Amino acid sequence: MSSRGKLVIISSPSGAGKTTLAHKLLDEHSAHMQFSISYTTRAPRRNETDGVDYSFVSVEKFEAMAEAGEFAEWALVHGNRYGTSLAVVEEALTTGVDVVFDVDWQGGKQLSEKWPDDALMIFVLPPDLDILADRLRRRATDADDVIERRLKAALEEIGHHQLYPHLVVNDKLDDAYAELRAIYLHCKGGADVAPEVLEVVRTNENAGGRAHAVKLMQAASS
Ligand code: ADP
Ligand code: 5GP
């Protein structure tokens, strides 16, 4: 593969479904797509594997890596440090493999500012805030106080939706995935994309994701 890989950046408030959607995209395009395994100082959840979901490191190790310039970006999220390996970004850009990044808005901003021509930025929104809370609780991987903190942080994250050219509302998973997939294929294929893919991209553009994000923020403040 000779062309540059895409940096597929997927962000959302915690619980909106970005990991689920990202893994569907990765499963379908595994031949030329990989997941960027971030480094984090957060403790692993019971269903997570070191080196698969994240590389779990100590604060000291993380700081040494940051100091050595090993991160393409890093940020403090929900009280823990998270960072993207610079080597992974460089590999994508030189080998043509697309890379999916599950990062918060701070990570999305830094990556897209450094590589504006290579980044595809997608923000996933929940249908409403009650459903977001429900998904976080049903995931049952975090303690109650962590879930409460993440719900509060959700609104701050949604407040940065303007950074993202593409918004996907994750109500029915299959519909949300069809939109994410079409946005990706359109970005890769440009004018050569199949008419049915273009149709889904247009549906997504007309779905009012931007207005939905504003509505979510208004609902929270009322
Ligand atoms: P995030 O990565 O954004 O924190 P996850 O992908 O972990 O979110 O999803 C949070 C929870 O919601 C998981 O239990 C997941 O299975 C569930 N979920 C994701 N998308 C949907 C959907 N469209 N409908 C119902 N449940 C969903
Ligand atoms: P979680 O602890 O739920 O896995 O992730 C918490 C938040 O950290 C999510 O918004 C996720 O997208 C973000 N995140 C994960 N890895 C990185 C990273 O490498 N950089 C940044 N900036 N955010 C990350």
Side-chain angles (χ1 to χ4, degrees):
M1 231 178 277
S2 57
S3 63
R4 286 161 80 88
K6 277 284 160 205
L7 310 181
V8 183
I9 299 165
I10 307 182
S11 303
S12 81
S14 196
K18 69 186 159 310
T19 308
T20 307
L21 287 164
H23 281 99
K24 282 175 85 70
L25 193 70
L26 282 153
D27 286 349
E28 189 178 341
H29 301 95
S30 57
H32 57 89
M33 188 183 276
Q34 67 179 55
F35 178 62
S36 166
I37 302 168
S38 293
Y39 288 82
T40 183
T41 60
R42 155 165 94 57
R45 297 180 182 132
R46 56 179 159 66
N47 58 341
E48 289 178 329
T49 309
D50 189 24
V52 175
D53 301 287
Y54 284 104
S55 291
F56 295 97
V57 293
S58 65
V59 172
E60 293 72 28
K61 163 99 176 149
F62 191 100
E63 284 180 348
M65 291 179 72
E67 185 73 17
E70 292 181 39
F71 293 129
E73 62 77 32
W74 74 267
L76 197 61
V77 190
H78 310 316
N80 294 300
R81 292 166 176 76
Y82 295 80
T84 299
S85 160
L86 178 59
V88 168
V89 175
E90 285 174 343
E91 193 190 323
L93 298 181
T94 54
T95 64
V97 171
D98 298 328
V99 181
V100 174
F101 299 85
D102 174 338
V103 294
D104 82 326
W105 70 270
Q106 303 172 84
K109 184 168 188 291
Q110 293 179 66
L111 292 173
S112 63
E113 281 174 358
K114 282 188 188 159
W115 292 280
D117 295 337
D118 303 293
L120 171 62
M121 303 261 288
I122 300 148
F123 196 86
V124 179
L125 291 162
D128 64 48
L129 297 176
D130 290 339
I131 291 177
L132 182 71
D134 193 47
R135 283 186 191 162
L136 273 176
R137 292 194 185 102
R138 270 194 295 141
R139 187 168 68 182
T141 47
D142 293 309
D144 285 352
D145 61 324
V146 174
I147 290 176
E148 287 314 312
R149 216 182 316 141
R150 282 171 183 251
L151 275 172
K152 289 202 185 94
L155 292 168
E156 210 221 309
E157 184 80 21
I158 294 171
H160 295 280
H161 67 92
Q162 300 281 14
L163 289 168
Y164 293 74
H166 305 281
L167 300 180
V168 170
V169 180
N170 180 19
D171 187 357
K172 292 199 176 67
L173 185 61
D174 287 349
D175 293 347
Y177 179 61
E179 291 183 17
L180 171 64
R181 177 181 185 274
I183 291 164
Y184 165 71
L185 292 176
H186 186 225
C187 168
K188 289 293 284 181
D192 294 336
V193 79
E196 58 272 23
V197 168
L198 208 51
E199 186 56 37
V200 180
V201 172
R202 289 216 182 96
T203 306
N204 168 268
E205 282 166 359
N206 295 331
R210 203 66 67 194
H212 183 70
V214 172
K215 211 174 75 191
L216 289 175
M217 290 189 296
Q218 283 167 348
S221 60
S222 64

